Amino acid sequence: MTEMVRIGNASGFYGDRFGAVQEMLTGGELDYLTGDYLAELTMLILGRDRMKDPSLGYAKTFLRQMRENLALAVDRGVQVVVNAGGLNPHGLAVALRELAAELKVDARIAFVSGDDLSSRAAELGLGSPLTANAYLGGFGIKNALLHGADVVVTGRITDASLTVGPAAAAFGWTERDLDPIAGAVIAGHVIECGAQATGGNYSFFTEIPMGHLGFPIAELHRDGSSVITKHEGTGGAVTLGTVTSQLLYEVRGPRYYNPDATARLDSVQLTQEGPDRVAISRATGEAPPTDLKVSLNNLAGIRNEVAVVLTGLDIEAKAELFKQQFTDALPARPAELEWTLVRHDRPDAPTEEQASAILHCVARDTDPQKVGRPFANTAVELALASFPGFTLTAPPGNGSPYGIFEPGYVDAELVEHRVTQPDGLTLLIPPSPLRAKPIIDDDDPAADTTVDFGPVTQLPLGTIAGARSGDKGGSANVGVWVRTDEQYQWLDSFLSTDKIAELLPEAADLTIHRYRLPNLRAINFVIEDILGRGVAENVRFDPQAKGLGEWLRSRHVPIPERFID
């Protein structure tokens, strides 16, 4: 019986390195190759594609990758599993069959569907969104693989399900194998974002041989334990740090909910087994939640922006003058008008750019006339009649549509999780019989310790702490970790929600949740509503909060001198 399978990943998002599929297929042994092409913003992009052409709605990049690599995958016996089907997995499956016939490759194609709830959204209490897609589990993929599929394409499944499905097929897991499934969920979460597990977006990147990073592989065992690695000779590294960072990416509390099992992030143990080999063990699984999360995207209106450069003296006075003149001159007032002054300037600057600030004005409205060319032209017309040194960062434009994301939830019994096997037979995949009302993790307060850590020195928090941050709809998470037990004891007592609000003033008036993950020597913070209504709507400087953790690491705090090398 199979005791270990090698599952590699070749895509972390729609737009990731095109050549990674071929690199993974030729770089060493694999049993399965996965690819994650979907994100909240991607679903909106695909939704707009489908509005223009109903035959689209899938990630076209994957079809081009298969033109170059389908024969290679079949020859090597590597089964390919991707969520590139997006809003139209059937359409992508048809295109793949046509491609296989053109290439004269005997490839068996299956697809998983049923996640698209847009036609039923109103009856399910989800409103009338542009897209409505439930996050499905991995057992439809399992069925397709067991029926001989060479390629399985899906719609909106959970990212970790790309790994759960192959593992469940290889090891014959049932819905009752909660601990092994949880282990696959954890391994899938580590490899789902590609090179982020091998050194990409890593706080201590100067310690990693950067360059052309290799993509990650999970060597999964029957009991759900795994080893995260990469093909020999590829760039980057797999270390306790890179794996810890990825485990903290876009998570909430200790419970990581998935349709097939709830994985306990606070149960896992990490061990550096050797160079570029990190073992993950002791994953604990609990019953999956009763409801499935649903990704909802709506077209909200039209957005336009003007940005003017303010140089030299009297920056704030120049900004106020332009705001008043521009607002008074607008032919029609948009529903939303948002101003942001970004101060790049410094006194006695050695370059003009360093002497300048940028004033942004963002307008939103459902009426394109209020935010279109007349809006932008209003700024241009003030060019010779406003503050000294007036200039725009870009010519006027017509504005563009924007969307908003929000999560919904629906009972898994109401979602028809379907798999269409290579022979064309379609089966319904029932939800887990173990489903239960989810246990909501309580916030963890900072530890109350009387330990004296000795003299301190004001230094950036990142001197000793790593971080990884990302978007969760309108919220953001920031996971912070350190390398020793003593450092974690200090971090747990020092880094409270009040301290986060102090170090990140943008979060000062927002709700902040705190979760302790001692096995990872980590604390995860979730900051509600810092991203407004999601990446497609907000115009925050960092709309997906990818740099939020690095901002936190740059803030100066009193670090015990005993921790400083």
Side-chain angles (χ1 to χ4, degrees):
M1 296 177 65
T2 301
E3 294 300 325
M4 187 271 283
V5 291
R6 286 169 60 87
I7 303 174
N9 179 49
S11 177
F13 68 101
Y14 192 10
D16 210 343
R17 193 162 82 218
F18 184 89
V21 169
Q22 189 169 98
E23 292 170 18
M24 291 298 284
L25 289 172
T26 60
E29 293 298 317
L30 285 180
D31 297 294
Y32 302 95
L33 181 63
T34 66
D36 180 10
Y37 292 78
L38 302 183
E40 293 162 358
L41 179 60
T42 313
M43 301 303 284
L44 177 63
I45 294 170
L46 295 178
R48 292 175 61 186
D49 285 350
R50 188 173 62 175
M51 287 177 65
K52 299 173 186 175
D53 184 347
S55 69
L56 297 178
Y58 56 80
K60 298 183 287 293
T61 298
F62 176 69
L63 194 60
R64 298 200 306 273
Q65 288 171 316
M66 286 297 96
R67 176 171 290 279
E68 297 183 7
N69 297 291
L70 181 59
L72 179 62
V74 172
D75 288 345
R76 288 180 170 258
V78 178
Q79 293 174 283
V80 179
V81 182
V82 297
N83 61 12
L87 301 177
N88 190 6
H90 175 252
L92 179 55
V94 169
L96 284 168
R97 290 177 187 137
E98 293 172 350
L99 176 64
E102 177 190 341
L103 299 176
K104 296 181 172 54
V105 176
D106 183 16
R108 293 168 291 183
I109 313 298
F111 66 94
V112 175
S113 60
D115 61 295
D116 191 345
L117 305 179
S118 54
S119 64
R120 302 169 52 207
E123 68 179 80
L124 293 172
L126 302 172
S128 303
L130 173 65
T131 68
N133 295 82
Y135 288 79
L136 302 180
F139 277 75
I141 296 170
K142 171 190 172 182
N143 179 282
L145 294 171
L146 289 178
H147 284 83
D150 297 299
V151 181
V152 184
V153 296
T154 78
R156 179 71 279 189
I157 62 173
T158 72
D159 299 342
S161 294
L162 292 166
T163 298
V164 171
F171 301 127
W173 292 339
T174 72
E175 293 89 343
R176 298 189 178 277
D177 292 307
L178 291 180
D179 286 350
I181 291 172
V185 168
I186 297 294
H189 179 56
V190 173
I191 70 172
E192 71 189 34
C193 285
Q196 280 195 171
T198 62
N201 289 334
Y202 181 53
S203 291
F204 301 108
F205 68 96
T206 56
E207 301 174 4
I208 300 292
M210 299 295 285
H212 194 76
L213 301 187
F215 275 63
I217 298 166
E219 295 180 351
L220 259 164
H221 297 267
R222 180 175 294 277
D223 64 356
S225 64
S226 63
V227 172
I228 306 301
T229 185
K230 62 187 183 68
H231 283 321
E232 188 175 351
T234 57
V238 179
T239 69
L240 290 176
T242 66
V243 173
T244 296
S245 289
Q246 183 54 29
L247 281 172
L248 296 173
Y249 183 60
E250 294 183 343
V251 298
R252 195 171 179 95
R255 288 177 170 86
Y256 189 61
Y257 305 108
N258 264 265
D260 300 313
T262 297
R264 293 294 299 261
L265 291 171
D266 56 353
S267 69
V268 299
Q269 296 285 336
L270 303 183
T271 307
Q272 189 78 46
E273 193 178 77
D276 295 322
R277 294 182 63 82
V278 172
I280 304 177
S281 60
R282 301 185 186 178
T284 298
E286 297 177 342
T290 303
D291 293 346
L292 297 180
K293 184 179 177 180
V294 183
S295 171
L296 301 171
N297 280 288
N298 290 277
L299 286 177
I302 307 296
R303 180 174 63 199
N304 206 348
E305 178 178 1
V306 295
V308 294
V309 180
L310 315 170
T311 303
L313 304 176
D314 306 317
I315 294 294
E316 292 183 3
K318 290 172 180 175
E320 287 303 315
L321 171 60
F322 179 77
K323 287 167 66 175
Q324 186 64 53
Q325 288 180 307
F326 182 77
T327 303
D328 291 344
L330 281 174
R333 184 68 180 258
E336 297 180 42
L337 210 57
E338 181 179 328
W339 295 92
T340 306
L341 177 60
V342 181
R343 299 295 300 266
H344 301 292
D345 58 301
R346 65 186 69 177
D348 195 23
T351 68
E352 183 177 344
E353 185 173 4
Q354 292 172 306
S356 300
I358 305 293
L359 178 63
H360 298 267
C361 180
V362 177
R364 301 182 186 88
D365 204 294
T366 55
D367 183 355
Q369 296 302 315
K370 292 184 178 180
V371 292
R373 186 59 67 89
F375 165 83
N377 283 346
T378 300
V380 176
E381 292 171 357
L382 289 169
L384 305 182
S386 189
F387 60 85
F390 182 106
T391 186
L392 290 161
T393 62
N398 292 317
S400 58
Y402 74 94
I404 57 173
F405 166 85
E406 61 181 346
Y409 296 89
V410 64
D411 190 324
E413 292 281 2
L414 302 177
V415 178
E416 295 183 350
H417 182 176
R418 298 185 297 271
V419 57
T420 301
Q421 299 167 352
D423 60 6
L425 180 65
T426 298
L427 296 178
L428 194 63
I429 304 298
S432 170
L434 305 182
R435 293 177 304 125
K437 183 178 180 180
I439 300 172
I440 306 302
D441 294 310
D442 293 328
D443 288 16
D444 292 322
D448 184 10
T449 181
T450 58
V451 175
D452 181 4
F453 293 98
V456 298
T457 300
Q458 288 288 133
L459 288 170
L461 176 62
T463 303
I464 64 167
R468 177 66 61 81
S469 60
D471 58 312
K472 299 290 288 181
S475 301
N477 93 294
V478 185
V480 186
W481 58 275
V482 288
R483 307 193 206 217
T484 71
D485 291 339
E486 190 179 30
Q487 288 176 355
Y488 181 67
Q489 187 181 18
W490 169 80
L491 185 75
D492 191 22
S493 63
F494 172 76
L495 206 55
S496 63
T497 53
D498 287 343
K499 181 60 68 173
I500 288 290
E502 175 189 328
L503 297 174
L504 304 179
E506 289 183 33
D509 298 323
L510 303 175
T511 299
I512 304 173
H513 302 282
R514 184 185 194 272
Y515 304 102
R516 187 181 286 116
L517 296 167
N519 283 5
L520 302 178
R521 301 191 185 101
I523 303 169
N524 189 49
F525 297 90
V526 177
I527 305 173
E528 303 286 358
D529 302 321
I530 193 170
L531 303 180
R533 293 182 290 177
V535 59
E537 185 268 350
N538 85 81
V539 290
R540 185 179 180 274
F541 172 71
D542 176 19
Q544 292 181 282
K546 303 303 184 187
L548 195 60
E550 289 302 294
W551 178 27
L552 177 63
R553 293 182 68 240
S554 74
R555 298 308 308 269
H556 286 228
V557 300
I559 296 178
E561 293 179 358
R562 64 206 287 179
F563 299 155
I564 301 166
D565 185 353

